[in-house]
Each structure stands twice: as C-alpha cells, then as structure tokens.
Amino acid sequence: MVPLAVCLAGALGAVARFVVDGEVRRRWPTTFPWPTVGINVSGSLLLGLVTGLVLAGVGSQDLRAVVGLGFCGGYTTFSTAVLESVRLAQRGAWWAAAGNAAGTLVATSAAAAAGLAAGLALG
C-alpha cells in the first residue's frame, strides 16, 4: 500500500509544482526563475521537517516515504533549476546564472537544515 501512496503523493507533488510555478509566474512576471527557487526551498524545508520528525520518533518510515520520496520528489525540481541557470548563462546573464545555481544550493540546504531542526525540536 505504501508504494501506491508514494506514487499518488508524487503525482500530487508534481501537480502542486505546476500550479505554484504557473501562478507565481502569472502574478509576478520576471526573467529570474524565482518560482523554481521558491518551490525547491519550500520542498527542502518540508523534507527536512519530515526527516526530523522521523528521527525524533514522531513520524514513521511510511510518512517519510510518502511525503519525502513521493510528494517532495514530485514537487521539487532541481533539474529545472540547473536548466534555468544554463538558460540565464546562454542569454549572457552570468551573474544571475551563478546566483541562481549557488543561491539555490545554499537556500535549499539551509531550508532542509531548518526543517530538520524544527522536526527534531517538535519530537
């Protein structure tokens, strides 16, 4: 049953990413890929939180699989972040490309660490 739940959660995560990305781009048009940054940061925060809860004994391994592997796996999109950095570089926006690549790495790592700390504290 858990594998099916992981698949469904992954599908839900992918749809959530599509909707969030589209709405943010529609409301705040920009050439910088802020929607992808926000999606990856929020997904990393959620994954860190779930991991912290599981490590603290509050959440189960099934929760980790469904939310972490399923939803967060479908929701986050690091391949798109890399592609958007390449596209920025191709347009000659070198600083924006470097900022997107490095900023995404730093921000997602910090968000995951914050989520982990919160999950452990809640447990």
Side-chain angles (χ1 to χ4, degrees), residues 61-103:
Q61 290 297 325
D62 290 348
L63 174 72
R64 180 194 61 82
V66 173
V67 176
L69 297 174
F71 183 83
C72 291
Y75 180 66
T76 58
T77 175
F78 288 92
S79 60
T80 300
V82 171
L83 176 63
E84 289 172 338
S85 293
V86 169
R87 286 184 178 162
L88 286 167
Q90 287 173 334
R91 290 195 317 255
W94 296 103
W95 287 109
N100 186 50

Side-chain angles (χ1 to χ4, degrees), residues 16-17 20 34-49 71-72 75-76 78 107-108 111-112 115:
R17 176 181 74 225
V20 169
W34 289 113
T36 303
V37 173
I39 287 165
N40 286 336
V41 168
S42 61
S44 296
L45 179 69
L46 178 59
L47 181 57
L49 177 65
F71 183 83
C72 291
Y75 180 66
T76 58
F78 288 92
T108 55

